[in-house]
Each structure stands twice: as C-alpha cells, then as structure tokens.
C-alpha cells in the first residue's frame, strides 16, 4: 500500500503505515483465516521456511505448517484476550522435506484475520535470561530508590541501553504541539550527543503517534534489508499489532540520513496520550528478541506510572493553591461593598491563579489593571479581536503567541506574548484578560526544523526527510510559556464565581427597584 502512496509535503501524516503490505525480512508472516484455520496470505519469504511454492502455501491448513500443540492454542484462543499470554511460543515449522525448524511465534488477531509472526528462535540463553532478569530487578530497585524524575529518566536510558545492547538510548518527550526534545541519553562515548536537542512535530507524524498509542513497541532490525511482500498482494491487511510490520520508507530514509542501521522505540503513554518515547539507535543490524523487548516495555510502563504519580502530585498541589486563591478573592467579594473592588484588592491572587504577569479586567464598565499590561490605547482593539475569538463553546480564549496569531499585536510581545480572555457577559463587555511576557528561548534543533523535507537533486522530485542533523541553534521569539489546562480551568472557576456574584447583585438591584 505504501508503494502506491506518494508522499508529499502535505500528506506525510496520511501515509497508511499500518497497512504496508509487507514485513521486515528477519521473520515470516502467516495470515490465518479464523473460520477455516487455513492460510489466506503469507509473506513471500515463507517459501524459504517451508520449501513450498507460494501458491501451494495459500489454502494450506495451519496444522500442515506448525506443530499440533501450537495449532490447538491458536484454534482455541484466537479471539480471546488470552492470546497474548501465549506470546512468545517456541514452535516447530514443518518443511516439505519433512525436517522441522524452530521459530518463535507471536500471534495477534487484527479483528479480521490471525497474524502469526515467526521470528528467529529467540530462546534467550539461560545465562542471558538471568542477566535480563537481573537488569529488570536492578531497574525496579533503582527506579524505586531514585526520587527525582530527572534521575529516574537517566536510570531508565542507562538500564535499557545495558540490557538491549543498543548503541544509543534516548528519552524523547513531546511538548503540547508534539515537537520533541531528547531529555535523557545513554550512548557509546564516541557518538555525538543528541541530549537537549529539539525535533519538529513532523518527524513523528500524527498517524505514527496514534499507532504508537495502540501498539507501544516497534523494532526495525535493519534499515537496509529489503522487505518481504505479502502474497497474494494484500494491501489492506492491518499490521498495526504485528511485530514484523515493515517501516515507512520515509522514516527508513530518515534513519539512513542519521547513519542509523537499526532502531527500536517504546511508547510512554500517560492518561491515554503519547507523552514520549524511549528511542534506541544502533549503528549495525540489531535483532532484539521478544522477551527483551517485553522487558523494555515493562520499564516504559513503570516509567509512565512514576511520571503520572508526579503529575498527580503536582496537580493536587496546584489545585490546593488555586482553591486558596479563589477562596481569598471570594471572601474579598463578600466583604467589599462594591464587589468589583475585590479583584484590585486581591490582584496578587488574580495573577498567581493563572501564573500571569499582568491582567486587565472590566466589570460593569470600569477598566482596571494589575501588573504589566499593554498601553490603554491598545486594550480596546485587543479586546475587540479577542472577543471575536471567544466563541460560546470555548468560554475562554488563550494563546501563547499573540504576535504570531495576529501580527497587528506583534509589538506587544515583551508584555503580552501570552494572553487569555474569559468573558463575563454575553456581549463580552465584562471580561478579564491575563497576560504573559515573551520568553526568548534558545533552542537547539537536531537539524534545521524547516528542512524537514528536501527534494532530491536528480530531478525526480522524490521527497526526502532532511539530511542534516547538525546542531542548529535558534532563538524563539514572540512566545510565552503556554497556558496549562489547570490554569485555564482556574480562570473558568473564577469566571463562574464572578458571574454568580453578578447575578446576585443584579437581583438585589431588581428587588430594591421593586
Ligand atoms: C517514525 N520518527 C519515527 C520514529 C521516531 C522518529 C523515533 C519511531 C520509529 C522508530 O522507532 O524509529 C523520529 N527518531 C526520531 C527523532 C529522533 C530519533 C526525532 O531518534 C531524535 C533523536 N519523518 C520525517 C518526515 C516524515 C517522517 C519529514 O522526518 C514525513 C514526511 C515520517 N517518522 C515518519 C513516519 C514514521 C516515523 C511515517 C512511522 C514509521 C513507522 O512506524 O512505520
């Protein structure tokens, strides 16, 4: 399928990488029709495993190819969640000359057919297995003993490097726009460092990130190995969960450009979202047995848990601080004769609630300010533009790059790169605006980010991922720290509080007039 898909600048994120129609050739694929337990499709290299012509393979019963025990497991468990408990199983593959070949089978069901990936017999030797277990124990102990997240990150990359044998292991964290940064690295000493380097969102496009949430681990053994196609041509067999899925040609080119020969990456998923990856590089072919990959996966799950515990702790502390600030503002509104004065009296809390450096608010026609805010004459046009952005559904509008979103306000960058607005009345005449200053960020990019794709010189207009990963330094202007979800929620809580007060006050006025 990928062959028929011409990648362009606009559609990289649409390449259907889950249905490549081929596998990596260090293994073999049997596609089994569940109703009949017969082979409906195989990878072309299966002929070398079974000795039969491809056309003879199709329609064969699974029992003619694998040993009876495994056949019984698949027949019984293919639809059950237990199927994965049988991964990996050591199986005997029957050759037409009556000899047997030992392979490691990894079976998955993709909702339509059973996929049996046969990988090189990977029974990790007892000695290696012991050492893998020791590593796991070590990793657990060090993870539990080390409390600061930075140290945990470093422990993880060092441990994964030690037992997986990769030349380089990195922890790669996404930001809110899915650009990424290498935040920890363990590498062979002679290699150049990628630590602290940033990479743009398009290096790991959307569909790849979605696939990596569904299937958290992938191994590319050899970027130079020619793929083995599915026979008969089956462009729609979903290989999302298949350990042998062949990798997108554009990513293979990317790795070649980096000088990498084998790669593996493991997803770090927090609250169902891809937080980052443990990304491994090797500078020669590298096959990693299933058991070792699973151990790397357990480590990533442990890491996800540790990160999410830290996030929860931070959330709890932040919520408590927010509640205290809201409580103080609420008390001031109750105490003051004119509740509108409360925000001025509690200006510190108003700013700290959302970590802003300035605020402007207008309640019942009177405009007030706190902290560093734009000149009075800019507030009106800014308010007008922001009011257009606040839709009924959104309730709050926020940006951390005002001058980029609307160049008319680019000159406000030093005090108002970030702005958040909550509207307090249907006509937007009562509102609060919070501001954040520009943070000029010195960013180290692993190659020029705008050169994510280059055209080849030969006139074929084939697209190539960028070919230079030389450190490229850039200063990022006109951006503030992004507004966090919790800060947006804090702003909305204050909004409800003020709106309730406004209703009470207007009812009082009505009663007085009656
Ligand atoms: C996949 N890109 C990936 C993966 C990584 C990166 C880690 C996961 C696959 C793997 O384990 O190798 C990117 N690798 C990095 C980065 C570093 C690294 C940033 O080591 C930093 C040190 N890639 C491009 C462009 C496109 C693209 C321009 O640069 C699209 C036109 C596509 N990347 C792309 C695709 C995949 C990918 C399609 C999915 C590969 C697959 O799983 O089939």
């Amino acid at each position: 399928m990928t062959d028929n898909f011409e990648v362009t600048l606009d559609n990289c994120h649409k390449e259907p990488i889950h249905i490549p129609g081929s596998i990596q050739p260090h293994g073999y694929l049997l596609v089994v029709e569940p109703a009949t337990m017969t082979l409906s499709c195989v990878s072309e290299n299966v002929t070398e495993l079974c000795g039969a012509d491809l056309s003879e393979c199709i329609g064969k019963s699974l029992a003619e190819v694998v040993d009876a025990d495994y056949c019984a497991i698949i027949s019984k468990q293919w639809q059950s969640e237990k199927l994965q408990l049988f991964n990996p199983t050591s199986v005997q593959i029957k050759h037409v000359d009556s000899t047997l070949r030992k392979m490691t089978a990894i079976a998955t069901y993709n909702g339509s057919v059973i996929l049996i990936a046969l990988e090189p017999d990977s029974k990790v030797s007892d000695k290696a297995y012991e050492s893998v277990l020791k590593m796991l124990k070590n990793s657990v102990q060090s993870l539990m003993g080390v409390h600061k997240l930075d140290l945990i990150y470093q422990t993880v990359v060092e441990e994964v490097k030690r037992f997986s044998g990769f030349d380089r292991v990195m922890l790669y964290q996404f930001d809110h726009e899915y650009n990424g940064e290498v935040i920890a690295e363990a590498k062979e000493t002679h290699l150049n460092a990628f630590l602290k380097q940033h990479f743009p969102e398009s290096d790991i496009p959307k569909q790849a990130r979605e696939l990596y949430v569904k299937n958290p681990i992938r191994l590319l053994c050899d970027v130079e190995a020619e793929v083995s196609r599915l026979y008969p041509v089956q462009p729609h067999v979903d290989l999302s969960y298949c350990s042998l899925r062949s990798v997108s040609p554009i990513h293979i080119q990317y790795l070649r450009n980096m000088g990498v020969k084998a790669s593996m990456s493991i997803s770090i998923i927090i609250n169902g979202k891809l937080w980052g990856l443990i990304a491994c590089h090797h500078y020669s072919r590298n096959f990693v047995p299933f058991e070792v990959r699973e151990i790397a996966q357990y480590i990533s799950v442990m890491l996800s848990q540790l990160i999410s515990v830290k996030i929860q702790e931070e959330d709890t502390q932040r919520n408590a601080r927010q509640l205290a600030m809201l409580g103080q503002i609420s008390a001031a509104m109750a105490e003051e004769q004119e509740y509108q004065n409360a925000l001025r009296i509690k200006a510190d809390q108003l700013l700290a609630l959302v970590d802003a450096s300035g605020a402007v608010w207008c309640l019942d026609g009177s405009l007030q300010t706190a902290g560093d805010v734009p000149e009075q004459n800019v507030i009106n046009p800014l308010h007008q533009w922001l009011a257009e952005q606040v839709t009924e559904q959104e309730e709050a509008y926020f940006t951390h790059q005002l001058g980029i979103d609307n160049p008319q306000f680019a000159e406000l960058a030093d005090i108002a790169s970030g702005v958040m607005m909550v509207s307090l009345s249907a006509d937007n005449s009562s509102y609060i605006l919070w501001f954040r200053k520009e943070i000029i960020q010195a960013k180290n990019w692993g190659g020029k980010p705008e050169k994510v794709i280059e055209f080849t010189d030969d006139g074929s207009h084939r697209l190539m991922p960028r070919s230079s990963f030389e450190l490229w330094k850039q200063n990022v202007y006109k951006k503030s720290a992004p507004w966090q979800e919790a800060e947006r929620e804090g702003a909305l809580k204050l909004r409800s509080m003020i709106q309730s007060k406004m209703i009470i006050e207007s009812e009082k006025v009505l009663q007085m007039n009656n």
Side-chain angles (χ1 to χ4, degrees):
M1 182 72 184
T2 314
D3 277 357
N4 305 330
F5 182 86
E6 204 189 323
V7 182
T8 69
L9 277 172
D10 302 319
N11 70 4
C12 327
H13 62 284
K14 289 197 181 135
E15 182 191 347
I17 59 173
H18 63 300
I19 48 170
S22 59
I23 60 158
Q24 298 180 49
H26 62 277
Y28 308 91
L29 182 65
L30 308 177
V31 180
V32 181
E33 207 52 57
T36 54
M37 283 294 144
T38 55
L39 304 188
S40 60
C41 175
V42 292
S43 57
E44 281 178 353
N45 59 356
V46 158
T47 50
E48 67 193 48
L49 182 70
C50 307
D53 285 342
L54 281 172
S55 53
E56 288 171 42
C57 293
I58 303 308
K60 260 193 188 206
S61 111
L62 182 64
E64 288 176 76
V65 185
V66 302
D67 53 88
D69 286 353
Y70 192 61
C71 211
I73 293 174
I74 296 299
S75 310
K76 203 166 156 216
Q77 306 289 359
W78 62 273
Q79 226 176 350
S80 116
E81 295 214 328
K82 283 193 202 143
L83 183 62
Q84 54 165 324
L85 299 179
F86 296 94
N87 292 334
T89 301
S90 188
V91 294
Q92 303 277 1
I93 304 296
K94 298 170 191 167
H95 194 275
V96 287
D97 67 7
S98 305
T99 56
L100 296 173
R101 263 179 81 181
K102 222 173 161 191
M103 300 293 296
T104 292
I106 299 152
T108 48
Y109 174 57
N110 73 2
S112 141
V113 284
I114 306 159
L115 304 170
I116 302 180
L118 299 168
E119 295 193 2
D121 184 34
S122 66
K123 262 288 157 259
V124 186
S125 72
D126 281 354
K127 218 168 147 201
Y129 207 52
E130 273 167 25
S131 106
V132 166
L133 278 179
K134 206 169 102 202
M135 289 309 152
L136 180 60
K137 207 167 123 193
N138 269 348
S139 310
V140 174
Q141 282 175 344
S142 44
L143 284 176
M144 295 310 162
V146 180
H147 291 300
K148 284 196 91 180
L149 271 184
D150 286 354
L151 289 178
I152 291 171
Y153 296 159
Q154 194 56 34
T155 312
V156 165
V157 289
E158 274 164 20
E159 295 297 332
V160 172
K161 178 172 183 301
R162 204 135 63 102
F163 69 74
S164 68
F166 278 93
D167 290 328
R168 183 200 299 275
V169 177
M170 295 165 283
L171 186 60
Y172 187 76
Q173 184 185 3
F174 293 111
D175 69 13
H176 62 290
E177 290 165 331
Y178 288 104
N179 303 306
E181 182 186 359
V182 176
I183 59 166
E185 181 177 45
K187 61 171 188 68
E188 293 297 307
T189 41
H190 65 278
L191 296 171
N192 63 321
F194 282 135
L195 187 64
K196 298 240 170 7
Q197 290 194 16
H198 293 253
F199 296 82
E201 180 271 345
S202 49
D203 281 20
I204 311 176
K206 188 163 179 268
Q207 87 283 32
R209 298 193 303 265
E210 284 169 359
L211 178 58
Y212 299 170
V213 171
K214 290 204 277 179
N215 180 355
I217 187 155
R218 58 223 66 88
L219 169 70
L220 172 56
C221 282
D222 183 357
V223 301
E224 299 307 338
E226 198 155 313
V227 298
S228 183
R229 282 162 207 286
L230 299 190
Y231 175 89
V233 176
Q234 291 270 354
H236 295 297
V237 180
D238 185 342
L239 300 184
S240 293
Y241 295 98
C242 174
S243 62
L244 294 171
R245 178 180 66 83
S246 66
V247 169
S248 155
I250 204 106
H251 182 54
I252 289 199
Q253 189 57 49
Y254 180 93
L255 291 170
R256 277 197 193 118
N257 294 352
M258 261 187 171
V260 171
K261 291 280 184 288
S263 83
M264 180 168 89
S265 58
I266 312 135
S267 311
I268 298 168
I269 299 163
I270 294 179
N271 295 332
K273 273 179 75 183
L274 195 62
W275 179 95
L277 299 170
I278 300 173
C280 315
H281 286 171
H282 208 60
Y283 293 86
S284 54
R285 184 187 185 280
N286 196 23
F287 172 68
V288 182
F290 182 84
E291 284 97 333
V292 179
R293 302 200 307 262
E294 272 212 315
I295 287 166
Q297 209 176 316
Y298 291 142
I299 297 219
S300 85
V301 171
M302 283 192 294
L303 179 59
S304 305
Q305 290 302 321
L306 290 170
I307 296 170
S308 84
V309 166
K310 285 275 172 203
I311 292 176
Q312 275 167 19
E313 276 172 19
E314 280 167 18
D315 281 355
T316 311
Q317 286 168 4
R318 189 170 31 208
N319 281 343
R321 280 198 308 269
Q322 267 190 3
L323 273 179
M325 289 183 276
L326 287 169
Q328 290 171 30
I329 297 173
S330 165
M333 282 203 294
E335 281 162 19
E336 285 301 308
Q337 274 231 309
E338 304 256 319
Y339 76 94
Q340 292 89 335
N341 291 336
L343 293 186
R344 183 175 43 75
I345 294 165
K346 295 292 171 192
D348 288 349
Q349 287 79 350
L350 176 68
L351 297 182
L353 180 71
V354 298
D355 200 12
S357 42
V360 169
W361 63 97
C362 186
L363 293 173
D364 301 338
S366 70
L367 195 82
Q368 302 194 57
T369 71
D372 294 326
V373 299
E375 301 282 334
Q376 196 91 14
N377 60 345
V378 200
I379 302 278
N380 261 346
L382 178 60
H383 165 243
Q384 240 169 32
W385 182 73
L386 290 169
E388 284 162 22
Q389 315 306 311
V390 182
T391 63
E392 260 176 53
Q393 290 83 4
E394 276 172 9
E395 298 177 315
Y397 175 80
F398 58 93
T399 172
H400 67 290
Q401 46 176 40
L402 175 65
I404 297 172
D405 291 353
N406 186 343
Q408 186 194 342
F409 302 115
E411 283 181 10
L412 304 183
D414 55 342
I415 36 175
S417 278
V419 59
M420 173 155 62
M421 165 165 172
V422 293
S423 180
L424 299 168
S425 56
D427 63 357
N428 285 317
S429 60
S430 293
Y431 59 87
I432 308 177
L433 307 183
W434 283 276
F435 300 104
R436 272 186 183 171
K437 297 185 178 192
E438 178 179 42
I439 297 178
I440 300 174
Q441 242 187 320
K443 255 195 173 177
N444 288 333
W445 290 95
K448 271 195 167 188
E450 60 268 34
K451 284 209 158 193
V452 285
I453 295 188
E454 292 171 7
F455 288 89
T456 47
D457 302 332
D458 62 8
S460 66
H461 297 292
R462 200 160 64 87
L463 291 159
M464 299 258 287
R466 72 166 168 280
S467 53
S468 169
F469 291 88
E470 285 288 298
L471 181 67
W472 191 78
K473 288 176 185 283
Q474 184 200 32
N475 283 335
V476 180
Y477 298 98
K478 296 196 172 38
K479 289 195 185 191
S480 72
W483 302 96
Q484 305 292 337
E485 200 177 322
E487 289 154 354
R488 282 156 16 215
E489 278 167 12
L492 290 177
K493 281 183 199 149
L494 178 62
R495 171 183 185 254
S496 326
M497 225 170 77
I498 298 176
Q499 281 180 327
S500 308
K501 185 75 184 167
M502 285 167 121
I503 293 170
I504 294 170
E505 291 299 317
S506 60
E507 278 169 1
K508 269 192 205 160
V509 174
L510 271 179
Q511 276 170 6
M512 271 162 45
N513 289 346
N514 287 338

